Amino acid sequence: MNNERKSKKVPLTGMTKSEFEQMCVDYDEPEFRGRQLFHWIYAQKERDIQEMDNLPKKFRETLMKKYRVPSLEIAESSTSPSLKTTKYLFKISTGEKIESVLMEDGGRITVCLSTQVGCALGCTFCATAKMGFQKNLTVGEIVDQFLQLQNASKHRVTNVVFMGMGEPFLNYDRVIKAAELLNHSEGVHLGSGKITISTAGVVSKIIRFADEGWKFKLAISLNGTNDKNRSEIMPINKKHSINDLISAACYYHDKSKSFITFEYVLIRDVTDSMTDARRLKILLKDIPCKVNVIPYNSFDDSYQRPDKNRITKFLDELNSASFTVTVRWSRGTDINAGCGQLSVMGGSVT
Ligand code: SAH
């Protein structure tokens, strides 16, 4: 693998079916070989061109001179003592590191994918924000996280969430292309309803997502119930106010008829007051949605998770809400693989 990286071979993961077909035609091979390649990479999840034995040996040799399958190298992995959550650290070809998480919960196997190295949004409660923004991941680097985690899992992955490092809607085109590849019926074939894209609230992209009619699920990280408080912890709110965000969410729902998930991180003395709970009910009363309450996961001393009592009180107040409420007791917090705990500093898994 190291040699492959040094030789600058082009990764095949991330290429679409038509790109494979065109590539085969360019090599004077029949177009259907492109479909075979597509199938090998995404359905069979084969990592070695040599093993793709329905392709002519000579063609495989030609491909191997210029291409490799992986976009990423696994650098490290750590599994929680319960064995339910594994965090993977990947190295990309330019040297940076990213993290992905595989979670098993009964029959539900979820992978959480990163979309950027670091993040530009500066949410004060998120570990990834501390890295600053470094770069957008390529389609191959996004999809290869899935392929490698699927190969590592004993079970078929049932759900994908774009909730790892980065802001998916600030790498919009590539994230959508990656989601389409995961959804493709001749490849990974994961239902569009099993793929969730989570945004901190990039309003223009929510509108675009709605206009383009994508069937992937949308999640919006709300985390605040008035502009003053939300702006303090999510600087993006200074650009797109809560009102703008709620209007965009309504627009999305009108177009897609799809339920939105609002994520709400409960941080002690910051987002967990009864006033917040009451305002949340009012804010979302007209939107068909679900609210996912995420008790804060700590990574330094800046904020704390509210105690159980306080969380219960907040949830009780939401009992009378028009929306369904679920609580995400993040898995993998013991290995810092919970929501908002993903960060890579100086090459080690933090
Ligand atoms: N940028 C995207 C996706 C990455 S964050 C977004 O903001 O949606 C994924 C989720 O983790 C978001 O809902 C975010 O609010 C939440 N999160 C971030 N830091 C957290 C922390 N320390 N504890 C719990 N949840 C956190």
Side-chain angles (χ1 to χ4, degrees), residues 119 121 123 125-127 162-168 198-201 219-223 234 263-265 294-299 328 330 338-341:
C119 184
L121 293 183
C123 300
F125 53 87
C126 178
F162 289 96
M163 294 183 189
M165 293 175 162
E167 167 50 44
S198 178
T199 178
I220 297 178
S221 301
L222 191 57
N223 305 341
M234 297 182 74
E263 292 149 295
Y264 191 88
V265 180
I294 314 172
Y296 171 74
N297 296 314
S298 68
F299 55 91
R328 192 190 306 157
S330 285
C339 289
Q341 289 184 309

Side-chain angles (χ1 to χ4, degrees), residues 164-331:
M165 293 175 162
E167 167 50 44
F169 275 180
L170 291 183
N171 191 11
Y172 184 92
D173 292 333
R174 288 158 164 190
V175 168
I176 295 289
K177 208 168 161 188
E180 278 191 283
L181 278 172
L182 297 176
N183 179 227
H184 199 292
S185 60
E186 289 169 52
V188 174
H189 203 182
L190 203 60
S192 48
K194 303 284 182 188
I195 300 173
T196 303
I197 304 179
S198 178
T199 178
V202 184
V203 164
S204 57
K205 296 296 169 35
I206 295 174
I207 305 282
R208 183 171 160 197
F209 188 70
D211 286 340
E212 290 174 352
W214 297 109
K215 297 277 178 266
F216 310 119
K217 295 238 167 178
L218 180 66
I220 297 178
S221 301
L222 191 57
N223 305 341
T225 58
N226 71 7
D227 281 325
K228 183 178 168 292
N229 296 355
R230 191 170 189 263
S231 295
E232 271 167 21
I233 55 170
M234 297 182 74
I236 190 176
N237 195 72
K238 293 177 197 149
K239 193 168 170 205
H240 304 297
S241 67
I242 292 185
N243 250 340
D244 291 353
L245 187 55
I246 299 296
S247 306
C250 289
Y251 181 82
Y252 167 79
H253 179 264
D254 285 347
K255 286 235 154 183
S256 69
K257 304 286 174 264
S258 188
F259 263 61
I260 300 174
T261 298
F262 285 94
E263 292 149 295
Y264 191 88
V265 180
L266 269 190
I267 309 173
R268 188 159 96 201
D269 300 330
V270 180
T271 63
D272 65 343
S273 70
M274 289 305 108
T275 314
D276 277 316
R278 283 190 283 272
R279 278 198 297 241
L280 191 58
K281 286 193 285 191
I282 297 167
L283 263 180
L284 303 181
K285 72 178 175 7
D286 296 324
I287 310 179
C289 66
K290 182 181 109 176
V291 170
N292 201 340
V293 172
I294 314 172
Y296 171 74
N297 296 314
S298 68
F299 55 91
D300 65 15
D301 297 332
S302 315
Y303 298 107
Q304 279 86 42
R305 174 183 283 202
D307 61 35
K308 269 244 161 85
N309 216 350
R310 185 109 174 144
I311 298 175
T312 310
K313 266 182 81 182
F314 191 90
L315 294 172
D316 283 348
E317 182 62 39
L318 294 184
N319 265 337
S320 54
S322 55
F323 44 80
T324 322
V325 180
T326 53
V327 187
R328 192 190 306 157
W329 293 102
S330 285
R331 310 197 140 266

